[in-house]
Amino acid sequence: MYNTLSKRKEAFRTVKPGKVGIYLCGPTVYDKAHIGHMVGPVIFDCIKRYLVYRDYDVQWVVNITDVDDKLINKANERGISMLEVAEENIADYNDNLAALGVDQIDHFPRATECMDEIIAFVQSLVDQGYAYASEGDVYFEVGKDVQYGKLSNRSVAAMQGEGGGTAARKRGLADFALWKSAKPGEPSWDSPWSKGRPGWHIECSAMSKKILGATFDIHGGGLDLVFPHHENEIAQSECCHDAPMVTYWAHNGLLRASSAAGKVGGRGSSAERADQEGADEQRLSHPGVNPQQSGKMSRSAGAGGLAELIARQGGERIRFFLLRTHYRSTVLFNEPALDEAGVGLEGFYRLFKRYTRITGKDFYDLHPSTPQAVENDDSANNSSLAEALKCREKFLNAMDDDFNTGGAIGELFELAKIINKFCDDNDLEGDGNSDDRVIQLQRLLATLKELAAILGIFLQAPTSDGESEAGDALLGPLMQLVISIRAKARTSKDFATADTLRAGLDPLGIAMEDRAGGTEWSGGDNQSMPGIMQLLVELRNTARAKKDFATSDLIRDSLAAIGITLEDRSGGTEWSADGAK
RNA sequence: GGCGCCGUGGCCAAGUGGCUAAGGCAUCGGAUUGCAAAUCCGACAUCGGCGGUUCGAAUCCGCCCGGCGCCUCCA
């Protein structure tokens, strides 16, 4: 596991045998979450799943910062309480986590619920001479900590930052606030120094100590938190306890909105981009908005849009996309890239459908394989299974190497190919379907499921966005009708009609696949209805023109059976559906 | 200016000293299909440049070119 503190990978060891404590810096809940807030939770969700898979007893903490200048400002802006702002955004945060399949968090401490611990922590630092009170504030004296700067690798002397707070009240410019006295009207808590609130960094030291102990295993967060937040945390905690705070500091890379200049490390003219930005800013005189969305993913680029993004793309796709890249890398985030990841995911979903065609069962009901089952499996003479086990080994090796989810996903694709090939080679959708083969197929898929569960994917069928469900009621029967009409055409070798139907559905986003057992369709939503109807009406008109009334009446009668009425008028054929129009 | 990260096929992305450089998307052939789709098979890179260390480097070192981040609130 890579350690930001040592700047290299280290063998994994734990403070207590068999136990792992993880603390991830969560959001300051002054606004809706954006996609960048999801990176840490998703990767740490995987890390926990993997450690649990490896039989560790894991406690994972994600804190919520619910007291802060920004929350206070927001509350004043909106004329509601700080608590109300927090509650609203916590709910939003939790919804987003759930949509991305992040459900491994054990503790969600909130700063406002840990005031006693925070105040005690500050007091301890004052008592030990590492902090001083000044006009109601309390500051950490950076100069007293000889190790200060070791995490972010900077010297106190070289620092230009002020460390926040009012310079006049501080002994050193880099000293940072542990406690801030409240201005009139601000939320405050009693303390030995003043009515006030905690500084930003102290809550993490206090809450991690409370739940995980003075020394724990993994502390995570975004790369942007290394300085000053984590540098200050480590200073507070280690001065307070005279013991290491954590064994591994793990920082995830940040998301970037795509820029016209292209890839992260690639070529591109920054000068050109800067020029254009300058020009745009002049023209629009609107410096707050970056027209090309280049640069770091910012609040303005993503705020408020996460729920919509999830509804559009689906939580599993976003999760899968994030896990394709190693967690320490910068990721260019944009919807075309998400779409591409989605294409890859579709292949897995098709394999699961294939399993259902072969067995009549649901992939999501299949029991995953386990390490124990693999050890005891005597059927390695089956070459497909042997290949699958090789993939499994590579997958686990990748995860063992600093949680390399990107490499692991590559093996998942390889595994899917092996399984598809097994189905092909043995004609499982035709004459080769035997109990014996089905059992082998299940074993292969159980391995896929075992590994996917580590990444937290393929745990349940992806939910389609809720919007379209009402209109979908008619889509199914309508498609059955289209399929039966097309089947009739195909049997009578009327391929022109069959192809017209299939080609006509394509622009509506509906695909048809002819299988041995019948035709399958996918895609489409309530928006597709008018298009399908138009197609059927045209088909019927063609039949009528040819005086093929058998076909035209069949279409009309079948539609009537599912509640859609056709009326031939002089201007054309009109249709109406009961209730759903 | 200080501290860091990165540059692998058209795009995304594993690989950090040693078999023919994973995998995905795209593209092009082939099998299959009434035709498609799906699936499978095959094709497609010598790793930003130069120099060095080494029996051997995409992988280590140096220089150069290019991109990005942090140093202020930030996941």
Side-chain angles (χ1 to χ4, degrees):
Chain A
M1 176 165 190
Y2 183 84
N3 189 352
T4 305
L5 190 57
S6 67
K7 298 198 196 330
R8 57 170 182 243
K9 289 184 203 168
E10 299 172 19
F12 192 68
R13 67 204 137 83
T14 61
V15 176
K16 293 181 194 153
K19 292 184 187 293
V20 180
I22 303 176
Y23 187 96
L24 176 70
C25 282
T28 300
V29 286
Y30 70 96
D31 204 348
K32 298 261 187 292
H34 68 77
I35 183 66
H37 291 121
M38 296 294 118
V39 179
V42 166
I43 178 60
F44 277 90
D45 189 79
C46 280
I47 288 175
K48 175 170 174 187
R49 284 170 191 275
Y50 186 58
L51 292 173
V52 168
Y53 174 83
R54 290 296 204 185
D55 287 330
Y56 287 98
D57 176 12
V58 183
Q59 288 289 301
W60 178 22
V61 181
V62 177
N63 74 296
I64 302 283
T65 302
D66 59 351
V67 51
D68 166 272
D69 290 353
K70 289 195 289 281
L71 272 136
I72 294 170
N73 292 340
K74 183 71 79 171
N76 290 340
E77 259 170 48
R78 298 180 51 193
I80 56 177
S81 74
M82 190 177 75
L83 187 68
E84 285 170 310
V85 173
E87 290 298 347
E88 199 177 293
N89 292 315
I90 288 170
D92 172 71
Y93 185 69
N94 285 333
D95 288 348
N96 295 142
L97 292 183
L100 294 192
V102 176
D103 62 2
Q104 300 289 303
I105 299 170
D106 300 292
H107 304 278
F108 258 123
R110 294 164 60 165
T112 54
E113 291 169 351
C114 302
M115 271 316 151
D116 292 346
E117 288 81 3
I118 290 171
I119 289 167
F121 206 109
V122 175
Q123 185 66 58
S124 170
L125 285 169
V126 171
D127 292 346
Q128 295 185 67
Y130 289 108
Y132 56 91
S134 175
E135 297 177 43
D137 291 352
V138 180
Y139 292 97
F140 184 90
E141 189 164 1
V142 168
K144 290 273 174 70
D145 177 14
V146 293
Q147 298 201 53
Y148 191 84
K150 68 179 179 180
L151 183 66
S152 58
N153 192 25
R154 58 190 79 197
S155 65
V156 179
M159 284 194 342
Q160 298 171 18
E162 286 194 17
T166 308
R169 298 181 182 178
K170 299 194 294 188
R171 294 180 188 167
L173 265 186
D175 293 357
F176 56 89
L178 298 174
W179 189 262
K180 299 158 112 165
S181 56
K183 298 188 189 77
E186 287 182 347
S188 65
W189 286 260
D190 285 324
S191 80
W193 314 284
S194 64
K195 274 187 173 302
R197 61 178 182 276
W200 176 35
H201 317 294
I202 193 67
E203 64 175 74
C204 289
S205 286
M207 296 194 290
S208 63
K209 177 190 190 180
K210 178 185 181 185
I211 300 169
L212 299 172
T215 300
F216 56 96
D217 300 287
I218 300 171
H219 189 137
L223 207 50
D224 53 344
L225 293 182
V226 174
F227 186 90
H229 185 51
H230 290 163
E231 191 68 71
N232 291 349
E233 265 187 61
I234 197 173
Q236 293 160 352
S237 289
E238 300 199 345
C239 286
C240 182
H241 303 125
D242 193 26
M245 183 184 186
V246 301
T247 310
Y248 302 96
W249 288 87
H251 292 101
N252 58 269
L254 304 178
L255 253 35
R256 284 189 59 219
S258 299
S259 70
K263 62 197 286 187
V264 177
R267 289 158 299 276
S269 167
S270 60
E272 184 187 330
R273 194 162 76 245
D275 285 345
Q276 224 171 318
E277 272 178 27
D280 281 338
E281 282 180 9
Q282 259 184 329
R283 194 175 331 121
L284 303 169
S285 72
H286 199 314
V289 175
N290 182 336
Q292 291 184 305
Q293 285 207 336
S294 67
K296 194 173 78 175
M297 184 69 59
S298 64
R299 306 254 175 212
S300 58
L306 183 52
E308 288 82 349
L309 181 75
I310 290 171
R312 219 164 33 240
Q313 293 281 354
E316 183 152 84
R317 184 184 290 195
I318 295 171
R319 183 182 178 106
F320 184 76
F321 172 80
L322 293 174
L323 293 174
R324 287 197 318 171
T325 308
H326 186 92
Y327 75 88
R328 283 191 282 115
S329 304
T330 301
V331 176
L332 285 177
F333 190 88
N334 55 66
E335 290 209 56
L338 226 39
D339 291 338
E340 191 205 296
V343 175
L345 267 183
E346 289 298 328
F348 290 101
Y349 298 147
R350 277 193 298 266
L351 174 59
F352 304 158
K353 273 193 194 164
R354 191 175 196 185
Y355 171 68
T356 302
R357 287 201 299 275
I358 292 168
T359 65
K361 292 177 185 160
D362 191 336
F363 169 82
Y364 295 100
D365 295 334
L366 195 62
H367 285 291
S369 178
T370 62
Q372 295 74 31
V374 170
E375 260 174 49
N376 299 331
D377 202 316
D378 55 357
S379 58
N381 55 355
N382 173 336
S383 67
S384 294
L385 196 62
E387 285 179 54
L389 292 181
K390 215 173 287 174
C391 280
R392 181 178 175 282
E393 197 183 327
K394 286 190 196 166
F395 180 105
L396 297 177
N397 285 340
M399 290 302 289
D400 276 339
D401 184 8
D402 197 28
F403 309 105
N404 182 355
T405 54
I409 284 174
E411 296 307 319
L412 236 38
F413 277 106
E414 195 63 23
L415 198 47
K417 187 186 290 184
I418 290 166
I419 299 171
N420 269 317
K421 191 170 162 55
F422 179 79
C423 295
D424 281 3
D425 290 352
N426 293 291
D427 194 17
L428 286 192
E429 291 187 69
D431 295 338
N433 192 325
S434 67
D435 289 352
D436 192 44
R437 290 274 155 72
V438 165
I439 288 172
Q440 292 185 52
L441 173 64
Q442 285 176 334
R443 235 178 254 183
L444 289 166
L445 281 163
T447 302
L448 176 63
K449 198 162 185 182
E450 174 193 358
L451 302 180
I454 291 172
L455 300 178
I457 56 175
F458 308 152
L459 297 171
Q460 54 189 325
T463 49
S464 59
D465 50 340
E467 292 172 38
S468 60
E469 262 156 43
D472 278 352
L474 270 176
L475 187 58
L478 191 57
M479 283 306 299
Q480 282 318 117
L481 177 58
V482 172
I483 286 168
S484 74
I485 291 169
R486 184 160 169 277
K488 204 158 284 179
R490 290 178 70 213
T491 338
S492 52
K493 306 272 184 205
D494 177 9
F495 295 120
T497 299
D499 291 350
T500 302
L501 278 173
R502 188 175 57 201
L505 290 173
D506 187 56
L508 303 173
I510 299 175
M512 290 181 128
E513 299 177 18
D514 298 326
R515 307 268 174 206
T519 300
E520 281 193 353
W521 65 279
S522 60
D525 53 34
N526 53 346
Q527 308 284 316
S528 318
M529 280 282 293
I532 300 172
M533 285 308 301
Q534 192 189 342
L535 204 55
L536 285 174
V537 167
E538 277 168 15
L539 187 67
R540 180 162 169 275
N541 286 342
T542 309
R544 289 168 72 205
K546 286 192 286 192
K547 307 234 185 275
D548 176 8
F549 297 116
T551 300
S552 75
D553 291 353
L554 173 74
I555 291 173
R556 186 178 56 200
D557 295 346
S558 307
L559 283 169
I562 60 171
I564 298 175
T565 314
L566 292 185
E567 292 178 46
D568 297 322
R569 306 192 180 276
S570 54
T573 304
E574 289 183 358
W575 63 275
S576 61
D578 300 347
K581 190 74 203 301

